[in-house]
Amino acid sequence: MSTAYPLLPDRHPQGDFFVCDILDAAPKGDMGSMEHPIFSLSTKPDTRPRKYEHNGVTIEIKPSVDGLATVHDRDVLIYCISALIKGMNEGREPQQVIRFHAADLLKATNRMTTGRGYNLLKAAMERLAGTRISTNITTGGQEIFETFGLIERARIVRETRDGRMQEVEVKLSDWVFNAIRAQEVLTLSREYFRLRKPLERRIYELARKHCGRQKEWRVSMEVLQKKCGSGSTLREFRRLVMTIAKEDEEYGHMPDYEIRIDDARDQLIARSRGTVGADYAAPLDIPALDPEVYDMARAAAPGWDVRMIEAEWRAWAGEVPRNPEMAFLGFCRKWAERRGAP
Protein backbone atom coordinates (compact mmCIF):
# COMPACT_ATOMS: atom_id res chain seq x y z
CA MET A 1 0.00 0.00 0.00
CA SER A 2 1.11 3.55 -0.62
CA THR A 3 2.19 5.63 2.36
CA ALA A 4 1.84 9.05 0.69
CA TYR A 5 -1.58 10.61 0.25
CA PRO A 6 -2.26 10.42 -3.50
CA LEU A 7 -3.88 13.85 -3.99
CA LEU A 8 -1.95 17.07 -4.53
CA PRO A 9 -2.40 19.69 -1.80
CA ASP A 10 -5.13 22.28 -2.29
CA ARG A 11 -2.81 25.15 -3.22
CA HIS A 12 -5.51 27.85 -3.19
CA PRO A 13 -7.97 26.89 -0.44
CA GLN A 14 -9.75 30.24 -0.27
CA GLY A 15 -12.78 28.61 -1.89
CA ASP A 16 -12.93 30.66 -5.10
CA PHE A 17 -12.67 28.33 -8.07
CA PHE A 18 -12.59 31.12 -10.57
CA VAL A 19 -12.09 34.77 -9.78
CA CYS A 20 -13.27 38.03 -11.35
CA ASP A 21 -15.96 37.58 -13.99
CA ILE A 22 -16.00 33.76 -13.86
CA LEU A 23 -16.27 33.33 -10.10
CA ASP A 24 -18.87 30.57 -10.09
CA ALA A 25 -17.86 28.62 -13.19
CA ALA A 26 -17.73 24.84 -12.84
CA PRO A 27 -14.93 22.99 -14.66
CA LYS A 28 -16.05 21.59 -18.01
CA GLY A 29 -14.40 19.19 -20.44
CA ASP A 30 -15.32 18.63 -24.10
CA MET A 31 -16.70 15.16 -24.80
CA GLY A 32 -14.54 14.53 -27.89
CA SER A 33 -11.19 14.61 -26.09
CA MET A 34 -12.68 12.91 -23.00
CA GLU A 35 -13.72 9.96 -25.18
CA HIS A 36 -10.55 9.63 -27.27
CA PRO A 37 -6.80 9.60 -26.41
CA ILE A 38 -5.86 13.06 -27.64
CA PHE A 39 -3.42 13.88 -24.83
CA SER A 40 -0.17 12.23 -23.83
CA LEU A 41 0.15 10.54 -20.44
CA SER A 42 3.89 11.15 -20.36
CA THR A 43 5.52 13.73 -18.09
CA LYS A 44 8.50 13.85 -20.47
CA PRO A 45 8.41 15.15 -24.07
CA ASP A 46 6.40 12.62 -26.10
CA THR A 47 7.38 12.93 -29.75
CA ARG A 48 5.85 9.73 -31.12
CA PRO A 49 3.03 10.19 -33.65
CA ARG A 50 0.00 8.03 -32.92
CA LYS A 51 -3.03 6.72 -34.75
CA TYR A 52 -6.18 5.62 -32.95
CA GLU A 53 -9.12 3.74 -34.46
CA HIS A 54 -12.20 2.65 -32.53
CA ASN A 55 -15.82 2.09 -33.58
CA GLY A 56 -15.44 3.94 -36.87
CA VAL A 57 -13.54 6.90 -35.38
CA THR A 58 -10.03 7.55 -36.69
CA ILE A 59 -7.64 10.03 -35.08
CA GLU A 60 -4.08 10.83 -36.11
CA ILE A 61 -2.09 12.92 -33.64
CA LYS A 62 1.24 14.45 -34.59
CA PRO A 63 3.52 16.21 -32.09
CA SER A 64 5.62 19.29 -32.59
CA VAL A 65 9.29 19.37 -31.64
CA ASP A 66 8.07 20.23 -28.10
CA GLY A 67 6.12 16.95 -27.93
CA LEU A 68 2.42 16.11 -27.74
CA ALA A 69 0.07 18.11 -25.55
CA THR A 70 -0.21 16.34 -22.19
CA VAL A 71 -3.12 15.50 -19.90
CA HIS A 72 -1.98 18.36 -17.65
CA ASP A 73 -1.89 20.78 -20.62
CA ARG A 74 -5.59 20.04 -20.99
CA ASP A 75 -6.14 22.32 -17.95
CA VAL A 76 -5.88 25.32 -20.29
CA LEU A 77 -8.73 24.01 -22.44
CA ILE A 78 -10.86 23.13 -19.40
CA TYR A 79 -10.45 26.68 -18.11
CA CYS A 80 -11.40 28.25 -21.44
CA ILE A 81 -14.36 25.89 -22.01
CA SER A 82 -15.66 26.52 -18.47
CA ALA A 83 -15.52 30.29 -18.87
CA LEU A 84 -17.30 30.25 -22.24
CA ILE A 85 -20.04 27.84 -21.12
CA LYS A 86 -20.71 30.02 -18.09
CA GLY A 87 -21.04 33.04 -20.37
CA MET A 88 -23.43 31.16 -22.66
CA ASN A 89 -25.59 30.18 -19.69
CA GLU A 90 -25.77 33.88 -18.84
CA GLY A 91 -26.87 34.76 -22.38
CA ARG A 92 -23.53 35.87 -23.85
CA GLU A 93 -22.42 34.78 -27.31
CA PRO A 94 -19.22 32.68 -27.12
CA GLN A 95 -16.11 34.05 -28.77
CA GLN A 96 -13.38 31.90 -30.31
CA VAL A 97 -10.72 34.23 -28.92
CA ILE A 98 -10.70 34.37 -25.13
CA ARG A 99 -8.61 36.67 -22.94
CA PHE A 100 -7.89 35.97 -19.28
CA HIS A 101 -5.43 36.64 -16.47
CA ALA A 102 -2.79 33.92 -16.22
CA ALA A 103 -2.96 33.98 -12.41
CA ASP A 104 -6.70 33.18 -12.57
CA LEU A 105 -6.05 30.06 -14.61
CA LEU A 106 -3.23 28.93 -12.33
CA LYS A 107 -5.40 29.31 -9.23
CA ALA A 108 -8.45 27.71 -10.85
CA THR A 109 -6.51 24.61 -11.88
CA ASN A 110 -4.60 24.24 -8.58
CA ARG A 111 -1.25 25.15 -10.12
CA MET A 112 1.69 26.97 -8.60
CA THR A 113 1.68 30.76 -9.01
CA THR A 114 5.47 30.91 -8.85
CA GLY A 115 7.72 31.74 -11.78
CA ARG A 116 7.91 28.02 -12.54
CA GLY A 117 4.11 27.86 -12.68
CA TYR A 118 4.03 30.60 -15.33
CA ASN A 119 6.81 28.92 -17.34
CA LEU A 120 4.93 25.62 -17.29
CA LEU A 121 1.79 27.40 -18.49
CA LYS A 122 3.68 28.95 -21.39
CA ALA A 123 5.10 25.53 -22.35
CA ALA A 124 1.60 24.01 -22.15
CA MET A 125 0.21 26.55 -24.61
CA GLU A 126 3.11 25.88 -27.00
CA ARG A 127 2.36 22.15 -26.97
CA LEU A 128 -1.39 22.72 -27.39
CA ALA A 129 -0.77 24.89 -30.45
CA GLY A 130 1.90 22.54 -31.84
CA THR A 131 0.00 19.26 -31.55
CA ARG A 132 -1.82 18.61 -34.82
CA ILE A 133 -4.87 16.38 -35.14
CA SER A 134 -6.70 14.83 -38.10
CA THR A 135 -9.99 13.15 -37.27
CA ASN A 136 -13.48 12.35 -38.45
CA ILE A 137 -15.01 13.05 -35.00
CA THR A 138 -18.16 15.15 -35.23
CA THR A 139 -18.50 18.23 -33.02
CA GLY A 140 -21.42 20.61 -33.23
CA GLY A 141 -22.92 18.61 -36.11
CA GLN A 142 -19.85 19.14 -38.31
CA GLU A 143 -17.26 16.61 -39.42
CA ILE A 144 -13.75 18.04 -39.63
CA PHE A 145 -11.21 16.18 -41.74
CA GLU A 146 -8.54 18.86 -41.89
CA THR A 147 -5.51 18.96 -39.64
CA PHE A 148 -5.83 21.38 -36.75
CA GLY A 149 -4.34 22.25 -33.39
CA LEU A 150 -6.17 22.16 -30.07
CA ILE A 151 -5.62 25.90 -29.95
CA GLU A 152 -4.85 27.96 -33.03
CA ARG A 153 -2.62 30.40 -31.21
CA ALA A 154 -1.79 31.90 -27.83
CA ARG A 155 -0.52 35.41 -27.22
CA ILE A 156 0.79 37.04 -24.08
CA VAL A 157 -0.90 40.42 -24.03
CA ARG A 158 0.93 41.83 -21.01
CA GLU A 159 3.96 40.74 -19.03
CA THR A 160 5.33 41.93 -15.72
CA ARG A 161 8.84 43.33 -15.56
CA ASP A 162 10.19 39.99 -14.36
CA GLY A 163 8.70 38.24 -17.39
CA ARG A 164 5.62 36.67 -15.77
CA MET A 165 2.43 36.58 -17.79
CA GLN A 166 -0.41 38.85 -16.73
CA GLU A 167 -2.96 38.71 -19.55
CA VAL A 168 -3.13 35.87 -22.07
CA GLU A 169 -5.15 35.64 -25.28
CA VAL A 170 -6.00 32.20 -26.70
CA LYS A 171 -7.73 31.40 -29.99
CA LEU A 172 -9.46 28.03 -29.74
CA SER A 173 -9.52 25.63 -32.69
CA ASP A 174 -12.72 25.29 -34.70
CA TRP A 175 -13.05 21.73 -33.37
CA VAL A 176 -13.05 22.78 -29.71
CA PHE A 177 -15.16 25.88 -30.39
CA ASN A 178 -17.82 23.85 -32.25
CA ALA A 179 -18.08 21.53 -29.23
CA ILE A 180 -18.55 24.54 -26.92
CA ARG A 181 -21.27 26.11 -29.07
CA ALA A 182 -23.12 22.78 -29.20
CA GLN A 183 -22.59 22.41 -25.42
CA GLU A 184 -21.02 18.98 -25.99
CA VAL A 185 -19.33 19.24 -22.60
CA LEU A 186 -19.48 17.53 -19.21
CA THR A 187 -18.96 18.99 -15.75
CA LEU A 188 -15.84 17.74 -13.99
CA SER A 189 -15.10 17.50 -10.29
CA ARG A 190 -12.88 20.29 -8.97
CA GLU A 191 -10.83 17.54 -7.29
CA TYR A 192 -9.72 16.54 -10.81
CA PHE A 193 -7.00 19.19 -10.58
CA ARG A 194 -5.61 17.55 -7.44
CA LEU A 195 -4.99 14.18 -9.10
CA ARG A 196 -1.23 13.68 -9.34
CA LYS A 197 -0.91 11.04 -12.03
CA PRO A 198 -1.83 11.65 -15.67
CA LEU A 199 -3.29 8.12 -15.83
CA GLU A 200 -5.58 8.91 -12.87
CA ARG A 201 -6.90 11.96 -14.70
CA ARG A 202 -7.44 9.95 -17.86
CA ILE A 203 -9.31 7.19 -16.03
CA TYR A 204 -11.50 9.81 -14.35
CA GLU A 205 -12.29 11.44 -17.72
CA LEU A 206 -13.30 8.09 -19.19
CA ALA A 207 -15.43 7.19 -16.17
CA ARG A 208 -17.11 10.60 -16.32
CA LYS A 209 -17.84 10.15 -20.03
CA HIS A 210 -18.95 6.50 -19.99
CA CYS A 211 -20.35 5.95 -16.51
CA GLY A 212 -21.86 9.39 -15.95
CA ARG A 213 -24.68 9.03 -13.41
CA GLN A 214 -25.05 5.28 -13.95
CA LYS A 215 -24.16 2.96 -11.08
CA GLU A 216 -21.28 1.21 -12.81
CA TRP A 217 -19.11 1.09 -15.92
CA ARG A 218 -16.80 -1.77 -16.87
CA VAL A 219 -14.07 -1.86 -19.46
CA SER A 220 -11.45 -4.48 -20.35
CA MET A 221 -7.83 -3.61 -19.67
CA GLU A 222 -7.04 -3.98 -23.36
CA VAL A 223 -9.70 -1.46 -24.43
CA LEU A 224 -8.84 0.83 -21.51
CA GLN A 225 -5.19 0.90 -22.57
CA LYS A 226 -6.28 1.84 -26.10
CA LYS A 227 -8.59 4.61 -24.83
CA CYS A 228 -5.85 5.98 -22.58
CA GLY A 229 -3.30 6.08 -25.40
CA SER A 230 -0.74 4.36 -23.20
CA GLY A 231 2.57 3.36 -24.75
CA SER A 232 3.29 0.81 -22.01
CA THR A 233 3.02 -2.93 -22.48
CA LEU A 234 -0.35 -4.34 -21.44
CA ARG A 235 1.30 -6.02 -18.46
CA GLU A 236 2.85 -2.75 -17.24
CA PHE A 237 -0.35 -0.83 -17.94
CA ARG A 238 -2.32 -3.34 -15.88
CA ARG A 239 0.14 -2.88 -13.00
CA LEU A 240 -0.22 0.92 -13.11
CA VAL A 241 -4.02 0.72 -13.10
CA MET A 242 -4.00 -1.79 -10.23
CA THR A 243 -1.83 0.60 -8.17
CA ILE A 244 -4.41 3.38 -8.70
CA ALA A 245 -7.24 1.02 -7.73
CA LYS A 246 -5.42 -0.06 -4.54
CA GLU A 247 -4.77 3.56 -3.58
CA ASP A 248 -8.40 4.42 -4.20
CA GLU A 249 -9.48 1.49 -2.04
CA GLU A 250 -7.21 2.81 0.72
CA TYR A 251 -7.86 6.54 0.44
CA GLY A 252 -11.05 6.95 -1.65
CA HIS A 253 -9.28 9.77 -3.46
CA MET A 254 -10.69 9.37 -6.98
CA PRO A 255 -13.43 11.98 -7.58
CA ASP A 256 -17.02 10.87 -8.26
CA TYR A 257 -16.13 7.23 -8.97
CA GLU A 258 -14.78 4.31 -6.98
CA ILE A 259 -12.11 2.54 -9.04
CA ARG A 260 -11.73 -1.24 -8.63
CA ILE A 261 -10.31 -4.19 -10.58
CA ASP A 262 -12.14 -7.38 -11.52
CA ASP A 263 -9.18 -9.77 -11.77
CA ALA A 264 -11.25 -12.68 -13.04
CA ARG A 265 -12.49 -10.70 -16.05
CA ASP A 266 -9.41 -8.46 -16.38
CA GLN A 267 -11.61 -5.37 -16.21
CA LEU A 268 -11.61 -1.96 -14.58
CA ILE A 269 -14.82 -1.13 -12.72
CA ALA A 270 -15.87 2.48 -12.13
CA ARG A 271 -18.72 2.75 -9.59
CA SER A 272 -20.53 6.01 -9.03
CA ARG A 273 -20.12 7.58 -5.60
CA GLY A 274 -23.43 9.41 -6.17
CA THR A 275 -21.76 12.82 -6.41
CA VAL A 276 -22.20 13.44 -10.15
CA GLY A 277 -25.10 15.78 -10.72
CA ALA A 278 -25.76 16.03 -6.98
CA ASP A 279 -26.68 19.67 -7.45
CA TYR A 280 -29.43 18.54 -9.79
CA ALA A 281 -30.91 15.66 -7.79
CA ALA A 282 -34.40 17.02 -8.47
CA PRO A 283 -35.56 17.19 -12.11
CA LEU A 284 -34.46 20.37 -13.82
CA ASP A 285 -37.20 22.90 -14.45
CA ILE A 286 -36.72 23.04 -18.22
CA PRO A 287 -39.76 24.86 -19.65
CA ALA A 288 -42.19 23.19 -22.06
CA LEU A 289 -40.94 23.27 -25.63
CA ASP A 290 -42.56 25.16 -28.48
CA PRO A 291 -44.91 22.67 -30.25
CA GLU A 292 -43.36 23.51 -33.63
CA VAL A 293 -40.03 22.10 -32.50
CA TYR A 294 -41.31 18.52 -32.61
CA ASP A 295 -41.67 18.53 -36.40
CA MET A 296 -38.08 19.77 -36.63
CA ALA A 297 -37.03 17.05 -34.16
CA ARG A 298 -38.66 14.36 -36.33
CA ALA A 299 -36.65 15.63 -39.31
CA ALA A 300 -33.46 15.61 -37.19
CA ALA A 301 -34.07 12.05 -35.92
CA PRO A 302 -36.22 10.37 -38.60
CA GLY A 303 -38.13 7.31 -37.43
CA TRP A 304 -37.52 7.90 -33.74
CA ASP A 305 -40.13 8.69 -31.07
CA VAL A 306 -39.17 12.30 -30.35
CA ARG A 307 -41.15 12.36 -27.10
CA MET A 308 -39.02 9.47 -25.87
CA ILE A 309 -35.88 11.34 -26.95
CA GLU A 310 -37.15 14.41 -25.14
CA ALA A 311 -37.51 12.39 -21.90
CA GLU A 312 -33.92 11.14 -22.33
CA TRP A 313 -32.71 14.69 -22.99
CA ARG A 314 -34.42 16.11 -19.90
CA ALA A 315 -32.91 13.34 -17.74
CA TRP A 316 -29.46 13.88 -19.29
CA ALA A 317 -29.33 17.70 -19.09
CA GLY A 318 -27.00 18.97 -16.38
CA GLU A 319 -28.36 22.51 -16.40
CA VAL A 320 -31.23 24.50 -17.91
CA PRO A 321 -30.11 25.51 -21.44
CA ARG A 322 -30.32 29.11 -22.56
CA ASN A 323 -32.27 28.04 -25.67
CA PRO A 324 -34.10 24.78 -24.83
CA GLU A 325 -35.47 24.25 -28.36
CA MET A 326 -32.04 24.52 -30.00
CA ALA A 327 -30.48 22.34 -27.28
CA PHE A 328 -33.16 19.67 -27.79
CA LEU A 329 -32.71 19.69 -31.58
CA GLY A 330 -28.96 19.33 -31.14
CA PHE A 331 -29.56 16.35 -28.85
CA CYS A 332 -31.88 14.79 -31.46
CA ARG A 333 -29.25 15.14 -34.18
CA LYS A 334 -26.59 13.53 -31.98
CA TRP A 335 -29.05 10.77 -31.04
CA ALA A 336 -29.64 9.93 -34.70
CA GLU A 337 -25.95 10.19 -35.63
CA ARG A 338 -24.93 7.71 -32.94
CA ARG A 339 -27.80 5.24 -33.31
CA GLY A 340 -28.82 5.48 -36.96
CA ALA A 341 -32.33 4.46 -38.01
CA PRO A 342 -34.53 2.74 -35.37
Side-chain angles (χ1 to χ4, degrees), residues 100-172:
F100 55 86
H101 291 276
D104 291 355
L105 183 149
L106 295 174
K107 291 175 183 176
T109 56
N110 199 44
R111 289 170 171 248
M112 300 176 292
T113 52
T114 60
R116 174 171 167 74
Y118 285 88
N119 289 337
L120 290 173
L121 175 58
K122 187 180 289 187
M125 290 189 292
E126 289 172 350
R127 285 188 294 269
L128 286 166
T131 298
R132 310 302 295 179
I133 299 169
S134 299
T135 180
N136 64 346
I137 296 177
T138 300
T139 63
Q142 296 183 18
E143 277 193 322
I144 297 179
F145 293 93
E146 63 194 286
T147 299
F148 57 93
L150 291 162
I151 62 175
E152 289 303 317
R153 61 175 173 83
R155 187 160 65 100
I156 299 169
V157 183
R158 292 169 59 192
E159 278 192 355
T160 58
R161 289 183 179 179
D162 61 359
R164 294 188 186 184
M165 289 175 273
Q166 286 187 338
E167 287 189 356
V168 178
E169 188 176 271
V170 170
K171 182 177 182 182
L172 300 172

Side-chain angles (χ1 to χ4, degrees), residues 4-10 191-192 194-196 200 252-255:
Y5 189 60
L7 287 180
L8 291 167
D10 187 352
E191 293 297 287
Y192 170 86
R194 294 185 63 196
L195 293 173
R196 291 179 184 271
E200 287 177 322
H253 72 291
M254 290 292 287

Side-chain angles (χ1 to χ4, degrees), residues 28 31 183 185-187 208 213 276-287 309-322 324 327-328 331:
K28 307 277 186 183
M31 294 183 190
Q183 299 214 26
V185 299
L186 289 173
T187 301
R208 182 69 187 89
R213 300 179 191 175
V276 174
D279 293 340
Y280 308 107
L284 291 175
D285 187 21
I286 300 176
I309 298 179
E310 181 186 5
E312 292 286 337
W313 168 66
R314 288 179 180 274
W316 167 85
E319 52 198 10
V320 177
R322 180 167 57 93
F328 173 57
F331 188 85

Side-chain angles (χ1 to χ4, degrees), residues 90-109:
E90 294 173 349
R92 295 195 296 273
E93 195 68 27
Q95 301 297 319
Q96 197 161 354
V97 176
I98 180 171
R99 183 179 289 199
F100 55 86
H101 291 276
D104 291 355
L105 183 149
L106 295 174
K107 291 175 183 176
T109 56

Side-chain angles (χ1 to χ4, degrees), residues 30-41 50 52 59 70-72 74 192 195 197-210 217 223-230 237 244 254 259 268:
D30 67 287
M31 294 183 190
S33 61
M34 289 175 73
E35 164 74 11
H36 307 292
I38 303 294
F39 297 94
S40 171
L41 299 176
R50 63 172 72 168
Y52 166 85
I59 304 173
T70 71
V71 167
H72 285 94
R74 178 182 170 82
Y192 170 86
L195 293 173
K197 301 173 184 176
L199 183 56
E200 287 177 322
R201 292 188 173 205
R202 184 67 189 129
I203 288 173
Y204 171 78
E205 291 172 1
L206 288 167
R208 182 69 187 89
K209 175 66 173 61
H210 291 282
W217 172 64
V223 171
L224 180 66
Q225 182 187 29
K226 188 176 181 181
K227 283 182 169 291
C228 287
S230 171
F237 178 78
I244 292 171
M254 290 292 287
I259 302 300
L268 175 140

